[in-house]
Amino acid sequence: MARALLALIALLWCMPAQARRIPLDPENRAHAGAAYTDGNVGIFGGLDSRMTRLLYVDVGGFGSPVPLSEELGIVSNQGADYLFLRHGIYVTPGLRVPHRQPKALQWDVLGRLGFAAVWYQDTHPDVTTTPGERYQTVANPAMTGALELLLRKENIGGRLSGRGYLLQTFNQYENQDVVLLRPQYTAELVVQW
C-alpha cells in the first residue's frame, strides 16, 4: 500500500516531460570549379543538400567545352582507348564521416555512390559519324562514386574530389560491349547557406 501511495504522489508531483529534437540547419551548398577528365579540363558544378546528420545528396553536372584535338595520337587495338568522357549529369547520395567540428576551420569527408547520364566521344577513325561531326558523341547511363574532402570557414570553402564513372556501352570498332571506368578529379569553390 505504501508503494502504491508513493507512486501516486510521484505521478502527481512530477513535471511534464517533453522530448524535443534539435532541428538541423539545412546546409545547402552550391559548388563550382574545374574538373580533369580523360586528359581534358572542364567545368564542374552542382548543389549539395543535407538530408540528415550523416546523409547528403549532391545533384550536378560537368562539361568539357574545349573540343578534342584532331591529333590524339592513339595507337591501340582496344576500342575503349578511343572513348573520352566529355559531359555528364549526376545524382549522388553520400555519407559523411562523423567527427567533431573544430571552430576555426571545419572539414568534412564524404563517400558517395549514385547514378549519372554521361556523354562520351568515340574518336576511332573507323567509327561512323554524322555529317559535320568530327567524333561520334554517345549518351549512356553510368554508375558513379566519389570521395570528397570539404574545407570550410563559415560559409565559404573549397572541395576536392576523386570520382569514377562506370558504364557499359557498345563499341563499333570492337563490335561488342565494352566496360569503361573513367576517373575524374575536381577542385571547387563552395558557398553554404
Side-chain angles (χ1 to χ4, degrees):
M1 179 73 174
R3 287 186 184 173
L5 186 59
L6 284 174
L8 182 62
I9 291 171
L11 182 65
L12 295 174
W13 191 269
C14 291
M15 300 293 287
Q18 297 181 9
R20 289 189 186 173
R21 191 170 152 218
I22 299 171
L24 294 172
D25 292 332
E27 282 193 11
N28 293 314
R29 300 172 178 159
H31 55 90
Y36 181 76
T37 312
D38 277 347
N40 298 301
V41 175
I43 55 175
F44 192 93
L47 179 67
D48 187 18
S49 290
R50 175 162 73 179
M51 306 302 281
T52 68
R53 289 193 189 282
L54 300 178
L55 180 66
Y56 288 71
V57 175
D58 189 19
V59 177
F62 65 95
S64 300
V66 179
L68 289 173
S69 169
E70 298 256 356
E71 304 284 329
L72 293 173
I74 301 170
V75 178
S76 175
N77 60 358
Q78 300 291 318
D81 293 340
Y82 291 91
L83 305 179
F84 290 88
L85 196 59
R86 301 294 290 157
H87 316 291
I89 54 176
Y90 65 86
V91 175
T92 52
L95 288 176
R96 176 180 165 263
V97 175
H99 63 282
R100 285 193 172 272
Q101 288 287 13
K103 295 209 183 257
L105 185 66
Q106 296 181 333
W107 62 275
D108 281 317
V109 174
L110 289 104
R112 297 186 183 276
L113 187 62
F115 58 91
V118 296
W119 287 262
Y120 66 87
Q121 287 186 325
D122 191 336
T123 62
H124 195 278
D126 296 340
V127 171
T128 58
T129 61
T130 58
E133 189 177 44
R134 182 175 28 182
Y135 301 123
Q136 182 187 37
T137 302
V138 181
N140 215 81
M143 294 293 297
T144 182
L147 186 61
E148 299 174 352
L149 171 65
L150 172 70
L151 299 172
R152 181 174 53 87
K153 185 167 178 75
E154 296 178 5
N155 294 338
I156 304 293
R159 182 170 96 165
L160 300 173
S161 70
R163 300 176 168 271
Y165 296 90
L166 177 66
L167 61 134
Q168 180 176 344
T169 187
F170 182 77
N171 183 256
Q172 282 188 32
Y173 172 66
E174 291 188 18
N175 201 25
Q176 65 181 0
D177 284 344
V178 295
V179 175
L180 300 177
L181 177 59
R182 293 293 192 243
Q184 181 181 61
Y185 307 98
T186 67
E188 302 167 88
L189 178 66
V190 175
V191 178
Q192 177 175 301
W193 66 93

